[in-house]
Amino acid sequence: ISSVFGLWEPKVSPSNTTEFQLHNIAVSIIQRFNDDCDKNSIPAESRFELFSKRYNQIVGDFRYTAQQIVGPINVGEAVSILSSEMWWVYGYVVVPTSDILHALGPFASNTSKWVDPYGGTGYFALQLDRALGVQIESWDRKRRHMQWVPIKEQDATTANYSGVDVFVLGYPCCSYECWQGIRTFTFNNNNEGRMIIFLGESRGHYCGSDEMWDFLCDNWDFRVSHRILGGMTGSYHHLFIFTRKGLQPDNDPCVQYCEGDNSDNSDDKKKVCKCPQLNCFGSSTAWK
């Protein structure tokens, strides 16, 4: 990890000297955190979760260091700069391994092929591989300095999804280009793909668009919702699972969740079990 971080540079250009200094400080803070993880043998797939738990302390360290070099910096500016660099290392969502196992474990198969076509740094693909032992590729249109797994330079909209069983859609932006790969996966792979895993904020927040959610509801069955507790302040993150319409998996986990599941998310799961009878998702407020 450390050797890879040595190749990583702040994403901001050096045109503004003070801003560039602040981004360099943010990079050094995140590098120091990862060095500490190396020394304490913290596995890579657990680091973002640990980072989020220490976030307030890390913001304080950043502000203190910045003040020594460039002068006082308010909390809002510190959070903005530190978060922008953090996202270029890990991605946008922290997902504890326990949540991956609980929500996705019943659906996982180490003989199926998964792909994360908007993989970014590949951190979520790394987590899925370590937690579930699945065969997963991570793609993106542009490879970045930081890569937790090898990133294949590939456009999700023109990709060949032959043999791909599971499409991972992680934290898509609202524009069409951030999610249109699911159209290709849905219609251009001879109906091979059986599942879409969505990670991010629910309908009515900042992931995807109404067009995206309508497309998923029209072409896929909504199976499971799992709220990701914790994470960064103000987040409403979920893992949603969609299966191809008409495909009823054996030992359907949806049924299991409806029977005697006393977890914190049991109410959500009972709603999801009835989702074929619902107007997919209903109102956006139900999934905050």
Side-chain angles (χ1 to χ4, degrees), residues 42 44 76 113 202 286:
I42 305 297
K113 181 179 178 180
S202 56

Side-chain angles (χ1 to χ4, degrees), residues 43-61:
E45 67 271 20
S46 301
R47 294 187 182 190
F48 194 7
E49 182 181 0
L50 180 61
F51 189 95
S52 70
K53 290 178 179 177
R54 295 183 181 176
Y55 191 63
N56 289 337
Q57 174 190 335
I58 292 170
V59 169
D61 291 344

Side-chain angles (χ1 to χ4, degrees), residues 19 22 27 44 50 103 134 136 143 152 175 185 209 220 224 278:
E19 185 181 6
L22 289 171
V27 169
L50 180 61
V134 295
I136 183 166
R143 285 183 289 185
K152 179 181 179 181
S175 66
F185 178 71
S209 62
W220 296 79
V224 170
L278 291 176

Side-chain angles (χ1 to χ4, degrees), residues 188-220:
N188 293 2
N189 72 343
N190 298 317
N191 292 329
E192 289 182 271
R194 68 180 172 93
M195 187 162 64
I196 291 176
I197 294 171
F198 172 89
L199 169 64
E201 294 189 320
S202 56
R203 187 169 195 160
H205 291 287
Y206 294 102
C207 287
S209 62
D210 284 342
E211 185 182 3
M212 183 198 80
W213 292 109
D214 289 344
F215 178 85
L216 286 170
C217 290
D218 289 344
N219 295 279
W220 296 79

